[in-house]
Amino acid sequence: MPVAASRRITLLTDFGTVDGYAAALKGVIGSIAPDAVIDDASHDIPAGDVHAAAWALAGYWNSYPEGAVHVVVVDPGVGGARRPLALVADGRFLVGPDNGVFTRVLADASNVTVVVLDVPNCDVSATFHGRDIFAPAAARMSLGLPLVRLGSEITDPVRFALPVATRDGAVLHGAVVHVDRFGNLITNIARDMVRDGAFVTIAGQTCPLRRTYSDAGPGELLAVVGSRRLVEVAVRNGSAAALLGAQRGAAVTVDGAAS
Amino acid sequence: MPVAASRRITLLTDFGTVDGYAAALKGVIGSIAPDAVIDDASHDIPAGDVHAAAWALAGYWNSYPEGAVHVVVVDPGVGGARRPLALVADGRFLVGPDNGVFTRVLADASNVTVVVLDVPNCDVSATFHGRDIFAPAAARMSLGLPLVRLGSEITDPVRFALPVATRDGAVLHGAVVHVDRFGNLITNIARDMVRDGAFVTIAGQTCPLRRTYSDAGPGELLAVVGSRRLVEVAVRNGSAAALLGAQRGAAVTVDGAAS
Amino acid sequence: MPVAASRRITLLTDFGTVDGYAAALKGVIGSIAPDAVIDDASHDIPAGDVHAAAWALAGYWNSYPEGAVHVVVVDPGVGGARRPLALVADGRFLVGPDNGVFTRVLADASNVTVVVLDVPNCDVSATFHGRDIFAPAAARMSLGLPLVRLGSEITDPVRFALPVATRDGAVLHGAVVHVDRFGNLITNIARDMVRDGAFVTIAGQTCPLRRTYSDAGPGELLAVVGSRRLVEVAVRNGSAAALLGAQRGAAVTVDGAAS
């Protein structure tokens, strides 16, 4: 089923901005699709951190309307054997390297088609596929070029393992899957898995599940259901990550599984 | 009096960009107002620093044309009792939490109307009103929805106290109200309050009022009237904040009040 | 020959974003050219670093289509004697201070016209020409105002010396001209100057010229031809700058000049 194109294109990279790499992508897009409106998602993903990119992307890819095009260039394997991909997922277009960066989109979307991008022989650098492959493909998708014109369908895009929370009676065992800018420790335990009044334990500290940050005193540890409907551990007006010394992967226990 | 809507929307947050929160706002706006053009003002406001956000906002809200929509999400009290606001100020629309972030706009604008946003009951998270309340309201304002349709008018938005410079004969007593990226110390002493040839004292050091940075030698302390027509203390090609160890709130004296 | 205008305008500054300076430029542009689409190139150029700005600009100015307008405000001499410039270079418009920031554009472009901007007498601050001179000029250029209406032509814009690589038999002597976000050390030695199988020496370490980053093992030093067709020294999944302690200006030798 064809998807209406949009002129809105987002960029997610680990380029920073000072070297002019991100701007080069914008120029290429503007050359092919002059009416494109380019939204920076981020250029500050830690260098080569595919997990961080996958997390960020999961936060906005489907808050955009159908037809939007999302470019992801966190690509430590650029120039090597990894495949360049384009996707349609629930009506949004995505383009980027086949290194797991689309893992969460693939898990969340109902309808997905994936193709390996045909790479032109000429004028493609071995170090900057963002400019030479992904940006041109994104611009063409925003103009309505069907996915099937961009490459050949595949069914085995790279996915990394997403840790799954487990249940043991009234106790849930999960893990921190992301630490955000505020030092909030976001877990893989979904809202539907926990009951009101549950307690969350991490790094030897236990705190109650509250409705929102301001239900705790300043500096106090608490748990809330965050914006992605996942349990997160936070400190009001502070950093739970700093207080607890916890990082991505830290074990989390919830006493109070939903029945 | 109705105000013409514009498709230009700005975002000012303390989200950073790496977590995908800022991009989620953009997606929501793009879903409601597909022709919106979104300008990032900043996503790097220090976490929860309402004063810093108010300062930044004062620098651009009315450099934009009438009809522009400014979204401000520096919101340490999210989910608590603080009210969500929308404003029309001198023809520009603003939306954000009622925590003082609009203090400088309210002080500078000639005509202001403020409403408390009606909050829908469904699907609003307790931790991300930027995505669930402020971005949708901004998008609707950019489409021309009148302010009165968004909520009920109020007359008591939160304002923090703005420190006022005082005069004692030929001497002015003021304070640093902002330290900018270059380490310039911006005071609350306005251009009209000082005469040419005045001297400015801060942290035990005295320097002359000059016309521009390059009227001093490299590394030399000087005072100038900055872009907001306020006296600021600077070091040519250096940081006055680092040289003097001065911060927001530091006392400043000017010898040479205008007569 | 007239150049078609575009509504796409880029910004390159050392303002950061938190002080509202960059947003003020956007507002001024939006006031004069309501249909402008503004792309952030970067606001993170190190304060006053004209060389870094010139490097970044060289990476994207001509990836944009003809008619695009590039604003550059890295301007340590603001308010002093340095001239404000506008350029047409190979069909793209540029505006910024006459301090060398356009050196690489002037070196790379085939057709360039440069004018000194006429500065209005009223309402121009001595410290913020980005807002008061460059942004308005850029907006007017995007609306199609011819360059000759903006000021008087000159032929002597400031250029800094670009270091040139030299050849001594089969050996090339060059220098690092830029260190990028990933710690890659980019040299002034062009692809055409080296043969396959060459070896690159820097800071006492020698590494082979490879096709792309992933041709080396993780942590291993290698050289590649980068996206600007210049030899660069890199570490796969690491920072060559950190490993070697090398900076802009470091000497580089290549054994294996092209014949």
Side-chain angles (χ1 to χ4, degrees), chain C residues 32-83:
Chain C
I32 296 172
D35 291 330
V37 170
I38 301 169
D39 288 347
D40 290 310
S42 183
H43 301 292
D44 293 335
I45 298 295
D49 191 337
V50 171
H51 286 78
W55 177 266
L57 179 62
Y60 65 84
W61 75 274
N62 60 1
S63 82
Y64 273 81
E66 295 195 12
V69 181
H70 301 300
V71 181
V72 182
V73 194
V74 176
D75 192 14
V78 61
R82 70 97 189 91
R83 301 172 294 188

Side-chain angles (χ1 to χ4, degrees), chain B residues 30-194:
Chain B
S31 290
I32 297 172
D35 291 329
V37 170
I38 302 169
D39 288 347
D40 289 310
S42 184
H43 300 294
D44 293 335
I45 297 296
D49 191 337
V50 171
H51 286 78
W55 177 266
L57 179 61
Y60 65 84
W61 74 274
N62 60 0
S63 81
Y64 272 82
E66 295 195 14
V69 181
H70 301 300
V71 181
V72 183
V73 195
V74 175
D75 192 14
V78 61
R82 71 96 189 92
R83 301 172 295 188
L85 301 184
L87 291 70
V88 184
D90 292 352
R92 287 79 175 178
F93 299 93
L94 300 105
V95 62
D98 186 26
N99 60 13
V101 77
F102 297 117
T103 297
R104 291 180 181 277
V105 171
L106 294 165
D108 292 346
S110 303
N111 287 289
V112 182
T113 305
V114 185
V115 305
V116 172
L117 288 170
D118 294 330
V119 175
N121 290 316
C122 56
D123 257 352
V124 170
S125 69
T127 60
F128 197 7
H129 287 184
R131 181 191 64 189
D132 299 335
I133 295 175
F134 298 124
R140 289 182 189 114
M141 284 191 278
S142 83
L143 294 172
L145 189 69
L147 201 65
V148 294
R149 296 274 170 234
L150 288 164
S152 307
E153 189 167 351
I154 63 163
T155 55
D156 62 343
V158 170
R159 304 164 195 242
F160 53 75
L162 291 171
V164 176
T166 58
R167 178 171 179 162
D168 180 6
V171 177
L172 299 165
H173 297 281
V176 172
V177 291
H178 184 71
V179 181
D180 77 8
R181 187 213 185 178
F182 300 98
N184 298 326
L185 302 164
I186 302 167
T187 78
N188 60 346
I189 299 172
R191 178 174 64 179
D192 298 343
M193 302 174 71
V194 298

Side-chain angles (χ1 to χ4, degrees), chain B residues 7-8 39-42 44-45 56 59-60 63-65 178 180-182 186 211-214 225-229 237, chain C residues 7 14-19 21 23-24 26-28 30-31 34-36 38 43 45 78-80 123 126-128 131:
Chain B
R7 56 193 194 99
R8 198 170 288 274
D39 288 347
D40 289 310
S42 184
D44 293 335
I45 297 296
Y60 65 84
S63 81
Y64 272 82
H178 184 71
D180 77 8
R181 187 213 185 178
F182 300 98
I186 302 167
R211 200 185 59 84
T212 191
Y213 307 120
S214 50
V225 174
S227 58
R228 296 195 195 180
R229 305 184 181 190
N237 300 350
Chain C
R7 54 194 196 99
D14 60 356
F15 293 164
T17 61
V18 294
D19 302 304
Y21 300 139
K26 297 179 185 185
V28 168
S31 291
D35 291 330
I38 301 169
H43 301 292
I45 298 295
V78 61
D123 258 352
T127 59
F128 197 7
R131 182 192 64 188

Side-chain angles (χ1 to χ4, degrees), chain C residues 17-259:
Chain C
T17 61
V18 294
D19 302 304
Y21 300 139
L25 265 66
K26 297 179 185 185
V28 168
I29 290 169
S31 291
I32 296 172
D35 291 330
V37 170
I38 301 169
D39 288 347
D40 290 310
S42 183
H43 301 292
D44 293 335
I45 298 295
D49 191 337
V50 171
H51 286 78
W55 177 266
L57 179 62
Y60 65 84
W61 75 274
N62 60 1
S63 82
Y64 273 81
E66 295 195 12
V69 181
H70 301 300
V71 181
V72 182
V73 194
V74 176
D75 192 14
V78 61
R82 70 97 189 91
R83 301 172 294 188
L85 300 184
L87 290 71
V88 184
D90 292 353
R92 287 78 176 180
F93 298 94
L94 300 105
V95 62
D98 185 26
N99 60 13
V101 79
F102 298 117
T103 297
R104 290 180 182 278
V105 171
L106 294 166
D108 292 346
S110 302
N111 286 290
V112 182
T113 305
V114 185
V115 305
V116 173
L117 287 171
D118 294 330
V119 176
N121 290 315
C122 56
D123 258 352
V124 170
S125 71
T127 59
F128 197 7
H129 287 183
R131 182 192 64 188
D132 300 334
I133 296 176
F134 298 124
R140 289 183 189 115
M141 284 190 279
S142 84
L143 294 172
L145 188 68
L147 200 66
V148 294
R149 296 272 171 237
L150 288 164
S152 307
E153 189 168 351
I154 62 163
T155 55
D156 62 343
V158 170
R159 304 166 194 240
F160 52 74
L162 291 170
V164 176
T166 58
R167 179 170 178 164
D168 181 8
V171 178
L172 299 165
H173 297 281
V176 172
V177 291
H178 184 71
V179 181
D180 77 7
R181 188 214 183 174
F182 301 98
N184 298 325
L185 303 164
I186 303 166
T187 77
N188 59 346
I189 299 172
R191 179 173 63 179
D192 297 344
M193 302 174 71
V194 298
R195 62 168 172 72
D196 289 350
F199 284 86
V200 178
T201 301
I202 176 171
Q205 302 251 4
T206 297
C207 59
L209 182 65
R210 304 284 198 186
R211 200 184 60 82
T212 191
Y213 306 120
S214 51
D215 290 336
E220 190 182 326
L221 198 70
L222 78 158
V224 296
V225 174
S227 58
R228 297 195 195 178
R229 305 186 180 188
L230 296 170
V231 172
E232 63 185 65
V233 175
V235 168
R236 181 173 173 191
N237 300 350
S239 165
L243 181 70
L244 300 175
Q247 299 183 330
R248 190 163 68 199
V252 178
T253 304
V254 173
D255 289 280
S259 52

